[in-house]
Amino acid sequence: MSGKNVGETLAGLLPEGLDVVGKGGQEEEFAYVVVDDGQGESLVQVNVQYGMGDVAGQLYAGGETLPDGTRIAVQQGAGDDRVAGVLMWTVDTLRPGEEGFRVVISAFNNGAPHAQPSRATPALTVDQLRKMALSPEWDRLR
């Protein structure tokens, strides 16, 4: 899956009221945007992977399973052990099926890796990240 398509999908799923002030990614599977809602920059990144079904028990232990079989794990905590005060909120999903299709979206309270916090909390809530990660838009890239 091309990083360009992943990035375009990520940007298209952002809630209204956010200005995209930066973006990038890798050739495959990973992309990010830096958004600003007027309260400071926030890095939002996504990883899209296949073949993750074999680690589902480990990754989603204690998480939630939706009626369709999609597994969800949510994490909120420190986002960088090298920079005090950086927060990372993550919603990690695994679609049912043999291909082990995983979408992981994280938001930070800083605008770049290893940067000082630029705001108190990430610009996106866990509920917004969840909605984005579960979007059927990702399935169109499969």
Side-chain angles (χ1 to χ4, degrees), residues 19 33 66 80:
D19 291 324
V33 292
L66 299 180
D80 190 330

Side-chain angles (χ1 to χ4, degrees), residues 41-56:
E41 292 184 351
S42 181
L43 175 65
V44 181
Q45 66 183 26
V46 63
N47 286 286
V48 181
Q49 305 167 321
Y50 285 101
M52 300 303 291
D54 59 337
V55 293

Side-chain angles (χ1 to χ4, degrees), residues 4-5 15-16 27-28 31 62 64 67 69-70 90 104 106 120 131 136:
K4 180 178 187 261
N5 290 341
E16 291 185 25
E27 240 179 80
E28 297 179 354
E64 176 184 1
T70 299
T90 299
V104 184
S106 300
K131 182 178 178 181

Side-chain angles (χ1 to χ4, degrees), residues 10-95:
L10 174 64
L13 292 172
L14 291 169
E16 291 185 25
L18 298 173
D19 291 324
V20 176
V21 297
K23 60 184 176 178
Q26 296 176 348
E27 240 179 80
E28 297 179 354
E29 299 182 344
F30 173 80
Y32 70 87
V33 292
V34 179
V35 298
D36 193 333
D37 60 0
Q39 298 180 31
E41 292 184 351
S42 181
L43 175 65
V44 181
Q45 66 183 26
V46 63
N47 286 286
V48 181
Q49 305 167 321
Y50 285 101
M52 300 303 291
D54 59 337
V55 293
Q58 175 185 339
L59 293 174
Y60 303 96
E64 176 184 1
T65 302
L66 299 180
D68 73 354
T70 299
R71 299 190 67 179
I72 303 171
V74 175
Q75 296 176 346
Q76 292 179 269
D80 190 330
D81 59 359
R82 293 170 273 191
V83 183
V86 174
L87 298 176
M88 178 176 73
W89 296 349
T90 299
V91 175
D92 187 341
T93 65
L94 182 70
R95 291 350 190 233

